[in-house]
Amino acid sequence: MAYAALISLEHTIDDLLKSSEFSLLPPCCTEIIQLSYNNVNVLQKLFRSLEVDDNSKRLKAMETEIREASFRLEDVLESASLHLRSSSQILPQSEDELLILAKEVKEEIDFFTESANKTLKEYYAGEDQLPLDEDDSSRSDDFDGNESKMVGLEDEISGIKNLLDEGWSLEPKVVAIEGMVGIGKTALARQVYEDPSISSMFDCRLWVYIGAKCQLKEIMLEVLSKLDILDNIDETHVMGHKELSEYVRRSLKDRKYLVVLDDIWSKKVCYELDELFPYNRNGSRILLTTTIRDVACYHSLNVRVRKRFLNKEESWCLLRGKVFAEEDSCPPQLEEAGKKIVEKCEGLPLAIIALAKHLSKADKTPDNWTVAAEEISAIYLADDVMLKKLMLSYNQLPQDLKACFLYLGVFPCGYEIPVSKLIKLWCAEGFLQRHKWDILEHTAMDCLLGLVDRNVTLTSALSSSRKIKTCKVHSVFWYLCTRLAEDELFYIMKSNANQRIERQRRLCIHNNALFGIKDMRKSMASVSNARSLLCTGPHHEYPVPKCLGFSLLRVLDAATIRFYEFPVEVVELIYLRYLAFTYNGKLPAFISKLQNLEYLIVQQYLSILSSEACRSYLPIEIWDMKKLRHLQVMGSDLPDPNPDSVQLWHLSTLSGISARSCTKKVFEKLPNLEKLGIQIELALDAPTKPLCCFDHLSCLYELKSLKCVIVNPKVVAPPQLPDSIFEFRDLRKVTLSGLGFSWNYMSGFAKLPRLEVLKLRCNAFRGPVWKTDVRFESLIYLLLEDVDLEKWHADSNSFELLECLSIRHCYKLKEIPLALGKMLRFGTTPTLKTIELVDCGESLVASAKQILDEQVKLGNEFLQVCVESSADDRKLKS
């Protein structure tokens, strides 16, 4: 984590150089701060340039030294800045005080500079490195015990065999098996490779293990050796790469070959290997295994196969087969405990095999198996094969992804992490590289996609726009995250009074009730330099003692903690960038002291908002918080700014406000707002014209997402919708609820050229008939939920790009327009993938079945019709 520490230090120095406090320091001090900034940049380039598998003990020691030096310098710089700021507000600093402060800063800068120079000297001196053993010994998928075949591969074997069959194509195609480490990619490839029907199909077959430390020359020699054509071994060994490559190509020319390239970690290696295998146009095939999506898609002729996890029954069969001899069955008294154990393995064969190894050595009693289920983390991390495989995946991550990956452990095991929250936390923490022309949230999303593409992070759910909505970490990686992060990134607080956490930077609490433990609060008070306090456990409804004595805190995630009074200690945390808590009261004016705050999230602990007439305004001082990027204030409104208030250039999200915040004065001060969420609760005597919130939307030139919900809509005459809402050229997502528009207005929404997602809930539109005679040229997701629609007519070109149609609780609607079954295609490729029906009538289900049949005729093999009701749920596939 030296790289992440250096990135954070770079941001701290950069912010200090731009601050008013910097000018208070003596010139000698300011000069060496600038020099330290240069050293930070040099070290960043060094660690960024390191090979991902450069995992020597010497390098690890260097990283530890630089990380600690970075932490020390960052602490003294921020503490000095805090001291200068606090003192200047009371009395000017005396010269002696400034000199003492400058001396402390200089001492830490000297220490950092000395550490940096030592590290650079040692690295470039090229001393012998001591590589950690991390590859070949971790290749085994089995253990010395009862042998058993891999289970749950039949469907995947059949699919890959079809892809390898020469009837598929005579082109030299590449079939890539991709998936998480330990999921069984090699086992699947081996089953295919050894299948008699496959072996009889090819003139020659080669199995080549590549690994993370690929040496191309060794690979070429291995291929030639397996082809048994090395006439002169000594002569071949002295050949250059180009000669060897040509030799391999000539040896395979005119042969129909099957080559398995097992465990590839680099796209560059793929291109190098690709040069070895000639395009014979005779049905030759390459089958490769990898954990990285880019590798699986490297070739234009690639077919990518995602290796799936085992289901519960397959997982139990694998465990039972590994622990007991094939001819024996598991004793009935162990079956219940065994099934609980494999459920915690989440379908990963590597985890199941590690547990099977442990269980096979212990007494086979229910008590032992119950204990094993409770100590799974210890069993995992004690298994050398598993640990080496997991560490290999971690060590292969680029430097800028390692901190992002370990950070996922701040959430409890198995937790589905909201991506929107994760992105904000990553941005606030300070370990992401800032790029001059890119938005930091975009950089964070690229990092998440990088982790997903490397199969160390799983996608849990997609949003309506087909982006990642929630993600999670498999339990085996979660245990690794928490183990590695304890010394490098964060510490999970436990109810152990003997915790020594003085040097920890981030404190994480998975059980919020721990706040009530006196000894734990005492331990937390000793962490004066903590940068983050993350309460990611379940919601805690009762008052808890506040532990906020962290003057350098950047992130306070206390959304699961209920505050009955505003925590005034918060406003002393001037470095705070992220603040989330649950509070029903009014925010005080002095919240504006948090000048570095970027993300402010205030939730209410009541499920129903106060009425429109009773909602409170945020303090006018909120307009002084110039760095705000995300403002979510359920139950509060944004007041009109003063005429001299500056624009909030960075604010991109405003959520939870009501119609009375949607004024021209407010919107003109938010020039880069991209996401607006309006939530309105009408008082009994409130006027029935909530649509004033649309009157000034035209001021928001960058708006991409609009959500407007009336919580308790009244049944009144259909309101008029201003035409200004249809003038947005970049609006991509619209969610409406309770507004009661006439269906005639839907033609206006079709004018939005980039509208991709349209969600209509709770009588957002009212009336028995919707005639769609316009074209939604970009719409990919349409939701109709709890509307009184009875008949829906659509033209043949209305929804050409629609991928998902979701209809929920529309009890009166009789059928989906049958034209959908004929028009949903782009060119020759059908686009429709999902029709979801929840609590709908039988006639509507029947019309969905007709559309399914029509799509089958058009060649759409991927369409699913999902039907759910309170009685049952079922899924129809094309």
Side-chain angles (χ1 to χ4, degrees):
M1 287 301 101
Y3 183 77
L6 287 167
I7 293 293
S8 181
L9 177 58
E10 178 192 25
H11 297 338
T12 297
I13 297 176
D14 190 46
D15 292 340
L16 178 60
L17 293 176
K18 296 174 182 176
S19 69
S20 57
E21 291 80 28
F22 182 69
S23 61
L24 299 175
L25 292 171
C28 63
C29 194
T30 59
E31 290 175 6
I32 61 172
I33 290 176
Q34 182 64 58
L35 288 174
S36 68
Y37 184 81
N38 297 335
N39 276 329
V40 168
N41 288 329
V42 171
L43 286 169
Q44 278 183 30
K45 291 178 181 178
L46 168 64
F47 285 109
R48 195 162 52 238
S49 66
L50 296 176
E51 293 293 331
V52 290
D53 61 351
D54 190 349
N55 195 30
S56 69
K57 292 178 181 178
R58 184 178 64 85
L59 182 59
K60 283 187 173 294
M62 289 164 49
E63 281 197 305
T64 300
E65 186 172 356
I66 290 299
R67 183 181 71 242
E68 292 304 313
S70 299
F71 286 166
R72 285 179 52 172
L73 179 54
E74 187 173 46
D75 289 345
V76 76
L77 290 176
E78 289 195 328
S79 296
S81 179
L82 179 64
H83 181 73
L84 289 170
R85 182 179 303 187
S86 301
S87 301
S88 64
Q89 294 175 355
I90 303 172
L91 291 172
Q93 293 278 303
S94 68
E95 186 174 345
D96 288 342
E97 288 175 320
L98 288 174
L99 289 174
I100 292 173
L101 193 61
K103 182 181 178 182
E104 293 176 359
V105 172
K106 185 178 184 303
E107 286 176 353
E108 286 303 327
I109 291 178
D110 288 343
F111 177 78
F112 177 80
T113 302
E114 182 181 341
S115 299
N117 290 336
K118 178 183 175 184
T119 296
L120 293 168
K121 182 178 179 181
E122 287 183 359
Y123 182 77
Y124 289 114
E127 296 178 4
D128 292 335
Q129 297 192 9
L130 303 174
L132 296 178
D133 184 17
E134 64 174 15
D135 52 359
D136 286 0
S137 61
S138 66
R139 290 170 56 182
S140 174
D141 283 323
D142 227 314
F143 65 91
D144 294 331
N146 298 313
E147 298 294 330
S148 66
K149 289 182 66 176
M150 295 296 294
V151 299
L153 302 180
E154 290 79 8
D155 57 332
E156 295 171 306
I157 291 172
S158 177
I160 294 175
K161 284 169 62 177
N162 289 336
L163 293 175
L164 296 178
D165 188 275
E166 64 180 356
W168 174 50
S169 170
L170 295 181
E171 291 291 337
K173 297 292 173 63
V174 178
V175 178
I177 304 174
E178 175 212 339
M180 180 181 289
V181 62
I183 203 171
K185 303 181 296 295
T186 299
L188 175 57
R190 179 67 68 180
Q191 294 270 25
V192 172
Y193 182 78
E194 295 178 348
D195 189 283
S197 64
I198 293 296
S199 60
S200 63
M201 194 183 300
F202 298 93
D203 300 336
C204 67
R205 294 178 303 131
L206 301 174
W207 183 285
V208 185
Y209 176 75
I210 306 300
K213 297 180 178 179
C214 172
Q215 297 293 327
L216 186 59
K217 184 171 183 178
E218 297 301 320
I219 296 296
M220 291 188 285
L221 290 173
E222 182 179 353
V223 170
L224 292 172
S225 174
K226 289 183 176 180
L227 288 172
D228 198 23
I229 56 173
L230 288 179
D231 298 327
N232 189 328
I233 296 178
D234 293 335
E235 180 181 335
T236 309
H237 274 74
V238 298
M239 284 184 179
H241 276 240
K242 187 174 181 180
E243 291 175 292
L244 270 176
S245 176
E246 185 57 34
Y247 196 174
V248 172
R249 290 179 63 84
R250 287 200 311 268
S251 302
L252 290 172
K253 188 178 180 181
D254 300 325
R255 296 195 187 192
K256 182 180 179 182
Y257 59 81
L258 171 63
V259 177
V260 177
L261 304 175
D262 186 31
D263 198 27
I264 302 183
W265 288 87
S266 166
K267 198 173 182 179
K268 177 184 176 183
V269 170
C270 287
Y271 290 127
E272 291 175 341
L273 293 172
D274 198 47
E275 293 295 318
L276 302 179
F277 306 109
Y279 285 73
N280 295 339
R281 298 184 180 276
N282 60 0
S284 294
R285 300 286 185 259
I286 296 174
L287 180 63
L288 67 84
T289 69
T290 183
T291 64
I292 302 174
R293 186 179 185 275
D294 273 357
V295 171
C297 301
Y298 87 96
H299 199 289
S300 61
L301 298 176
N302 269 25
V303 176
R304 174 171 159 254
V305 177
R306 285 276 301 171
K307 178 70 183 73
R308 64 175 177 83
F309 291 93
L310 302 180
N311 60 35
K312 291 181 180 179
E313 185 58 35
E314 291 166 344
S315 298
W316 169 236
C317 288
L318 178 59
L319 181 75
R320 184 178 57 197
K322 290 291 182 182
V323 176
F324 301 97
E326 290 289 343
E327 63 272 10
D328 295 336
S329 61
C330 173
Q333 64 268 27
L334 295 179
E335 188 166 332
E336 182 179 352
K339 289 184 176 180
K340 288 182 179 178
I341 288 174
V342 295
E343 191 171 339
K344 294 186 177 183
C345 295
E346 301 178 57
L348 186 68
L350 178 65
I352 298 169
I353 291 171
L355 284 166
K357 186 191 304 184
H358 172 84
L359 295 174
S360 67
K361 295 176 181 178
D363 292 337
K364 298 176 179 60
T365 65
D367 287 344
N368 279 345
W369 283 39
T370 300
V371 170
E374 296 172 353
E375 297 180 349
I376 280 182
S377 62
I379 296 171
Y380 285 164
L381 298 178
D383 186 277
D384 289 340
V385 172
M386 168 177 274
L387 190 57
K388 286 177 180 178
K389 283 178 176 286
L390 298 179
M391 283 301 300
L392 182 58
S393 279
Y394 172 71
N395 289 328
Q396 290 296 309
L397 291 175
Q399 288 287 351
D400 58 341
L401 295 188
K402 287 185 175 179
C404 294
F405 170 66
L406 293 186
Y407 195 87
L408 299 174
V410 305
F411 299 95
C413 186
Y415 186 81
E416 292 205 1
I417 306 167
V419 167
S420 59
K421 177 176 182 175
L422 179 65
I423 295 300
K424 296 178 184 67
L425 287 172
W426 279 353
C427 292
E429 288 286 2
F431 51 62
L432 295 180
Q433 182 73 62
R434 295 174 185 171
H435 299 290
K436 186 174 182 181
W437 302 112
D438 200 4
I439 298 172
L440 195 58
E441 284 85 353
H442 294 174
T443 300
M445 180 55 74
D446 288 341
C447 289
L448 176 61
L449 294 175
L451 294 177
V452 171
D453 287 348
R454 286 165 175 79
N455 281 288
V456 294
T457 303
L458 304 174
T459 299
S460 297
L462 297 177
S463 68
S464 51
S465 55
R466 314 309 295 170
K467 296 178 181 177
I468 304 176
K469 183 177 182 179
T470 59
C471 65
K472 64 179 294 188
V473 186
H474 193 283
S475 58
V476 296
F477 274 124
W478 186 86
Y479 293 124
L480 182 71
C481 284
T482 54
R483 172 175 169 166
L484 294 178
E486 188 167 310
D487 294 326
E488 300 190 5
L489 199 68
F490 66 84
Y491 183 84
I492 299 176
M493 297 294 294
K494 308 174 185 69
S495 55
N496 180 3
N498 297 318
Q499 298 173 100
R500 299 186 61 82
I501 58 174
E502 291 83 0
R503 296 292 299 164
Q504 295 294 334
R505 310 289 284 185
R506 298 172 180 87
L507 301 180
C508 179
I509 301 176
H510 289 171
N511 180 3
N512 293 335
L514 289 177
F515 271 121
I517 300 175
K518 182 178 179 180
D519 290 333
M520 199 211 70
R521 299 202 310 275
K522 184 178 179 181
S523 296
M524 291 177 64
S526 68
V527 192
S528 58
N529 294 326
R531 296 307 198 275
S532 304
L533 177 58
L534 302 143
C535 307
T536 55
H539 283 267
H540 196 69
E541 298 182 358
Y542 305 102
V544 295
K546 294 186 286 289
C547 305
L548 301 176
F550 310 108
S551 59
L552 304 181
L553 206 67
R554 295 174 181 172
V555 172
L556 175 56
D557 179 17
T560 56
I561 303 295
R562 180 185 296 187
F563 289 90
Y564 291 88
E565 296 180 354
F566 182 82
V568 294
E569 300 90 343
V570 165
V571 297
E572 301 301 322
L573 308 176
I574 63 170
Y575 290 115
L576 209 59
R577 300 173 187 169
Y578 180 103
L579 173 60
F581 64 107
T582 299
Y583 173 61
N584 271 29
K586 185 176 181 180
L587 292 183
F590 49 78
I591 188 79
S592 62
K593 289 179 65 176
L594 301 176
Q595 284 294 299
N596 289 301
L597 199 64
E598 298 177 2
Y599 305 94
L600 176 57
I601 301 166
V602 185
Q603 300 179 355
Q604 285 200 326
Y605 52 78
L606 295 179
S607 58
I608 301 177
L609 293 174
S610 57
S611 67
E612 179 81 1
C614 300
R615 291 174 65 109
S616 61
Y617 277 113
L618 292 169
I620 191 70
E621 289 80 5
I622 203 79
W623 291 100
D624 297 330
M625 303 174 72
K626 303 178 184 63
K627 292 187 178 181
L628 278 178
R629 306 170 72 89
H630 177 95
L631 181 58
Q632 180 180 329
V633 284
M634 307 304 292
S636 296
D637 284 319
L638 196 59
D640 283 349
N642 292 322
D644 57 347
S645 296
V646 298
Q647 291 179 312
L648 298 183
W649 287 96
H650 300 289
L651 193 68
S652 62
T653 303
L654 177 61
S655 179
I657 62 170
S658 72
R660 64 180 189 169
S661 291
C662 302
T663 66
K664 185 177 182 180
K665 291 181 179 179
V666 167
F667 288 163
E668 284 180 340
K669 294 293 185 179
L670 308 175
N672 293 310
L673 194 71
E674 295 184 357
K675 185 175 181 179
L676 175 64
I678 307 167
Q679 191 161 0
I680 304 169
E681 182 172 346
L682 299 177
L684 293 177
D685 56 349
T688 58
K689 294 183 179 180
L691 297 190
C692 60
C693 59
F694 294 132
D695 290 347
H696 304 293
L697 286 180
S698 57
C699 299
L700 304 176
Y701 301 109
E702 302 297 325
L703 195 66
K704 293 180 174 61
S705 175
L706 172 65
K707 181 177 182 179
C708 185
V709 175
I710 297 181
V711 178
N712 54 343
K714 297 181 179 182
V715 179
V716 295
Q720 296 293 312
L721 184 62
D723 291 337
S724 58
I725 194 174
F726 305 134
E727 297 175 1
F728 289 98
R729 311 308 297 172
D730 207 27
L731 193 61
R732 303 179 188 187
K733 181 177 180 180
V734 173
T735 302
L736 303 173
S737 178
L739 296 168
F741 294 133
S742 167
W743 288 104
N744 294 333
Y745 281 115
M746 284 299 294
S747 59
F749 286 95
K751 297 176 182 178
L752 299 171
R754 304 191 70 177
L755 184 65
E756 297 176 351
V757 176
L758 181 58
K759 297 183 179 181
L760 307 177
R761 291 190 169 105
C762 191
N763 286 323
F765 285 75
R766 288 207 312 268
V769 179
W770 173 22
K771 185 174 182 180
T772 312
D773 54 1
V774 290
R775 180 171 175 261
F776 288 82
E777 59 185 72
S778 300
L779 199 68
I780 61 174
Y781 181 95
L782 174 62
L783 168 67
L784 302 175
E785 181 176 356
D786 198 14
V787 295
D788 62 354
L789 190 63
E790 297 177 16
K791 295 182 180 181
W792 178 15
H793 305 286
D795 290 344
S796 59
N797 63 345
S798 295
F799 303 99
E800 289 185 345
L801 297 181
L802 195 67
E803 295 180 6
C804 180
L805 171 65
S806 182
I807 303 177
R808 306 173 186 175
H809 315 298
C810 296
Y811 307 105
K812 296 181 179 180
L813 186 60
K814 302 301 181 184
E815 67 176 16
I816 302 171
L818 297 181
L820 287 175
K822 299 178 181 178
M823 65 188 178
L824 292 175
R825 58 186 182 276
F826 182 65
T828 59
T829 305
T831 63
L832 189 61
K833 297 176 182 177
T834 307
I835 297 177
E836 300 174 341
L837 303 178
V838 179
D839 283 338
C840 296
E842 288 298 324
S843 62
L844 196 69
V845 174
S847 67
K849 179 63 169 65
Q850 283 186 262
I851 291 175
L852 179 63
D853 294 340
E854 189 66 37
Q855 288 282 291
V856 171
K857 295 177 183 178
L858 291 172
N860 186 354
E861 300 177 356
F862 304 101
L863 175 62
Q864 292 185 346
V865 177
C866 305
V867 182
E868 298 181 19
S869 68
S870 54
D872 65 345
D873 61 87
R874 55 191 182 277
K875 183 181 292 184
L876 307 174
K877 289 187 178 181
S878 64

